[in-house]
Amino acid sequence: MERGYDVRATARSPEKARSVTEAVSGVVDPAGRLSFAVADLTADEGWDAALKDVDRVLHVASPLGMTAGGDPRSLIAPARDGALRVLRAAASAGVKRVVMTSAANAASPSSYATEGVTDETLWTDPDDPTLIPYRRSKTLAERAAWDFMAGHDGPTELTTVLPGAVFGPVLTTENLGSVGIVARMLAGRMRGVPRIGLEIVDVRDLVDVHIRAMTSPQAGGQRFLATGEFMWMTEMARVLRDELGEAGGRVSTRQIPDLAVRLLARFKEPSLREITPSLGRRNRHSTEKARRVLGWQPRPTRETVLDCAASLVERDAVGA
């Protein structure tokens, strides 16, 4: 809306639509510019109406986090089937282009410990039994989307964007997702940090690359990695501790040994099991294609981390 577009968003309920409207009202005036259609990625109803007279679609929603009851299908089915519902409705409505948010870990070696830099030509192997359900869900959903488009001969184009770990300023404290890591650090609830590295992308830069992918004539039929600088969590902790002043005083910079994380995941904290494959991760991703084709220029990671923390402090979300 800041760039002049009228936006029709989907929400699973009118109540959710109201909360989204309230969240964006602090940034732009949504009056006459923002409308909602009620639709759910797990059901067919509502999608044709949602996409009527729509020129372009940004499909950004997908399940995130731990699986329900340990069942990977709780992530995989909504991600894959939801993407196909959006694509079918978009193709039926004659939408010009769908930009789908995938994930950088859909273009990664199966082993996170693999050295080197990879690009969009690599596909994660969804049949690797060591993959956590989230990685498998994002890979299978993107694969299904490209397979659908291969059998579609209409005018609708598909572009996919593959981001890294998304941080930056928040509009609302509801469902913080990955940003909750920063909130827990600021609250002193992380007495140490695991040896995990993140390719952090700013949410503002992620919005920018989606809009570039939506409008660039060269972007149709392409995958674009949208990762930021690689930063170890210990480095993130030091930035918060050293540069945030009093608000960073409770941040621990102590690194937890890999063995300790694995033992905790096995015996005391099952929620840690899905991060253990990332311990000591070495692989990076190249964003040369997004820079060259789309002219995309992400900001420094340090700025993203500090702006993220400042917004959490401002909204009294520390410890959320």
Side-chain angles (χ1 to χ4, degrees), residues 59-64 99-108 112 118-120 124 134-135 138-139 142 146 159-168 178 197-211 213 222-230 281 283-287 290 294 296 298 304:
H59 175 45
V60 301
S62 188
L64 175 67
V99 179
M100 174 180 167
T101 312
S102 182
N105 59 23
S108 303
Y112 271 143
T118 55
D119 62 19
E120 295 88 350
T124 299
Y134 176 70
R135 284 189 72 188
K138 297 298 287 188
T139 304
E142 190 187 352
W146 286 116
T159 302
T160 56
V161 173
L162 289 66
V166 184
F167 289 84
S178 57
L198 303 171
E199 289 173 296
I200 295 173
V201 61
D202 194 291
V203 66
R204 295 164 292 188
D205 296 329
L206 188 55
V207 170
D208 179 58
V209 75
H210 273 76
I211 294 175
Q222 301 292 324
R223 304 175 90 199
F224 292 99
L225 278 159
T227 56
E229 298 172 52
F230 185 95
R281 173 192 167 198
N283 176 255
R284 272 77 159 178
H285 296 90
S286 170
T287 58
L294 303 179
W296 185 59
T304 297

Side-chain angles (χ1 to χ4, degrees), residues 80-149:
R80 180 190 57 219
D81 299 347
L84 291 176
R85 284 187 174 93
V86 172
L87 282 172
R88 290 189 192 103
S92 177
V95 167
K96 295 176 183 177
R97 183 175 294 169
V98 176
V99 179
M100 174 180 167
T101 312
S102 182
N105 59 23
S108 303
S110 294
S111 170
Y112 271 143
T114 302
E115 297 280 354
V117 179
T118 55
D119 62 19
E120 295 88 350
T121 61
L122 179 69
W123 277 90
T124 299
D125 179 8
D127 297 323
D128 186 325
T130 67
L131 288 189
I132 63 172
Y134 176 70
R135 284 189 72 188
R136 182 173 285 111
S137 74
K138 297 298 287 188
T139 304
L140 289 174
E142 190 187 352
R143 275 288 192 194
W146 286 116
D147 288 346
F148 172 86
M149 294 305 297

Side-chain angles (χ1 to χ4, degrees), residues 28-53:
V28 294
D29 181 6
R33 305 279 308 286
L34 175 63
S35 61
F36 287 88
V38 175
D40 191 314
L41 289 173
T42 63
D44 293 331
E45 294 78 18
W47 287 105
D48 288 338
L51 296 182
K52 184 179 180 182
D53 299 326

Side-chain angles (χ1 to χ4, degrees), residues 165 167-169 182 198-202 204-205 228-232 235-245 298-311:
F167 289 84
V182 177
L198 303 171
E199 289 173 296
I200 295 173
V201 61
D202 194 291
R204 295 164 292 188
D205 296 329
E229 298 172 52
F230 185 95
M231 178 178 279
W232 292 105
E235 296 177 281
M236 185 191 310
R238 282 195 292 269
V239 167
L240 294 171
R241 181 69 179 256
D242 297 343
E243 302 189 40
L244 205 60
R299 72 197 68 205
T301 296
R302 173 187 163 279
E303 178 183 335
T304 297
V305 170
L306 290 173
D307 286 355
C308 177
S311 76

Side-chain angles (χ1 to χ4, degrees), residues 272-291:
L272 294 176
R273 290 174 186 169
E274 294 197 359
I275 72 165
T276 55
S278 301
L279 292 171
R281 173 192 167 198
R282 299 290 184 181
N283 176 255
R284 272 77 159 178
H285 296 90
S286 170
T287 58
E288 188 276 333
K289 183 178 179 181
R291 295 170 186 266

